[in-house]
Amino acid sequence: MDRAELAVFLRTRREGLRPADVGLPAGARRRAAGLRREEVAALAAMSTDYYTRLEQQRGPQPSEQMLAALARALRLTDDERDYLFHLAGRNAPSPIVAATHVAPALMRVLDRLSDTPALILSNLGEVLVQNRLAEALYGDRSRYTGLARSEIYRWFTDPDERLVYPEHDRDRQSRAMVANLRVVHGSMGPRSRAGELVRALTRESPEFARLWEEHQVAKRFEDHKVLVHPQLGEIEVDCQVLFTEDQSQALLVLTAPPRSEAFEKIQLLGVLGTEQFSS
């Protein structure tokens, strides 16, 4: 671990960002350029003291998870992320860490979406990051670990996962998820994380096994859908999707026409927050 170079790298990247670059208000006049240490720490979901010690060359060696969080908070490119791992004395990011590193271009768009639900997904349906309204609508989808990080896995193994969709739409959603997974499985191959997901679901879900044998192939999101919120009930939303060039990640934005009932419900999400999910 090169503590001196790591400290310099973190500081220069922090000073090179502005609040607007990460979706934060500018606030009062700043004495120094860039983000504050506490802002980077909050974006990376770590304590300010921990981050400060890294910049002061006295922190412990960060874990892969901490480094991945810092790379996302500092909006690092793939090359910069790999360099960060090298300075911290870690090997190049594992395939799982590398695959879940959020594309900076998508993060820049997400940072500017504060008035409507938006989230970034991997091609396996893993929520990589979500804004405040998306968390209020879906709950914290980034908290899962292992195979359960994939919404496809949870859909076929956890009945509660289906409550966000009306009952009449759940069969369509099942078929869409399997068809999307077949596209990813075809491109990544049977020895990939997609292959691991298929094997696990084939063992654990007769419904998935049956649909997988139908060999349906499709990679798209519904343009219009109805979601069910625990307190607000059904919310009709339009879906817009922006993919990275390699199709490995997608920014999903949910909107409703101004002055519509759904629009009013989305505004209420900001008031209700995630309190209903904590119980």
Side-chain angles (χ1 to χ4, degrees):
M1 178 177 174
D2 190 334
R3 295 180 185 275
E5 285 299 319
L6 176 63
V8 172
F9 184 68
L10 291 174
R11 178 176 54 78
T12 56
R13 288 302 174 271
R14 174 175 61 82
E15 292 177 349
L17 291 171
R18 299 294 182 271
D21 296 334
V22 296
L24 296 175
R29 184 174 180 179
R30 293 167 179 255
R31 293 178 296 176
L35 297 181
R36 299 186 177 101
R37 285 171 174 169
E38 59 266 28
E39 290 171 333
V40 173
L43 290 169
M46 63 180 59
S47 72
T48 301
D49 178 67
Y50 182 93
Y51 179 77
T52 299
R53 282 186 287 150
L54 289 177
E55 279 202 12
Q56 293 177 344
Q57 305 181 36
R58 58 189 182 88
Q61 184 184 33
S63 66
E64 280 197 4
Q65 291 75 19
M66 283 291 190
L67 292 170
L70 283 170
R72 182 169 62 249
L74 294 169
R75 306 306 191 251
L76 301 185
T77 65
D78 289 353
D79 289 339
E80 290 170 335
R81 176 207 63 205
D82 292 353
Y83 182 65
L84 174 68
F85 272 67
H86 172 73
L87 291 179
R90 300 289 182 184
N91 293 326
S94 66
I96 292 179
V97 171
T100 57
H101 177 62
V102 181
L106 292 188
M107 281 298 303
R108 286 194 292 270
V109 179
L110 180 68
D111 288 335
R112 286 156 177 77
L113 297 171
S114 59
D115 60 351
T116 197
L119 55 159
I120 297 175
L121 298 154
S122 75
N123 55 6
L124 293 178
E126 301 155 326
V127 172
L128 306 180
V129 64
Q130 57 192 137
N131 68 7
R132 184 176 60 90
L133 289 181
E135 188 171 338
L137 178 60
Y138 289 108
D140 181 7
R141 297 274 174 124
S142 64
R143 71 183 190 277
Y144 297 101
T145 59
L147 291 175
R149 295 189 66 249
S150 168
E151 66 174 3
I152 305 172
Y153 181 83
R154 298 195 308 273
W155 180 265
F156 289 101
T157 60
D158 182 359
D160 287 344
E161 187 72 13
R162 303 192 175 203
L163 298 179
V164 74
Y165 285 91
E167 187 173 359
H168 65 79
D169 193 38
R170 294 171 189 172
D171 180 66
R172 180 206 59 78
Q173 183 71 2
S174 293
R175 293 179 178 277
M177 286 191 173
V178 175
N180 271 278
L181 180 56
R182 187 166 279 283
V183 173
V184 180
H185 184 267
S187 62
M188 296 179 68
R191 291 188 156 184
S192 65
R193 291 166 54 239
E196 180 184 7
L197 186 59
V198 169
R199 289 189 293 273
L201 284 173
T202 301
R203 291 192 305 267
E204 298 176 35
S205 170
E207 179 191 9
F208 175 86
R210 173 176 56 82
L211 293 175
W212 186 253
E213 288 305 312
E214 293 182 8
H215 290 265
Q216 294 184 11
V217 180
K219 187 171 186 178
R220 67 182 302 273
F221 291 84
E222 283 294 304
D223 299 327
H224 184 84
K225 65 174 64 178
V226 177
L227 300 174
V228 181
H229 185 270
Q231 291 176 259
L232 300 177
E234 293 188 352
I235 306 176
E236 291 190 45
V237 294
D238 295 313
C239 307
Q240 300 297 323
V241 183
L242 176 64
F243 286 97
T244 54
E245 185 175 358
D246 63 1
Q247 302 282 298
S248 65
Q249 295 179 10
L251 170 63
L252 175 63
V253 184
L254 307 175
T255 63
R259 296 177 295 281
S260 66
E261 180 183 4
F263 180 85
E264 297 298 328
K265 288 183 177 181
I266 287 176
Q267 306 313 302
L268 282 173
L269 285 173
V271 178
L272 293 173
T274 58
E275 183 178 343
Q276 69 277 4
F277 294 103
S278 62
S279 59

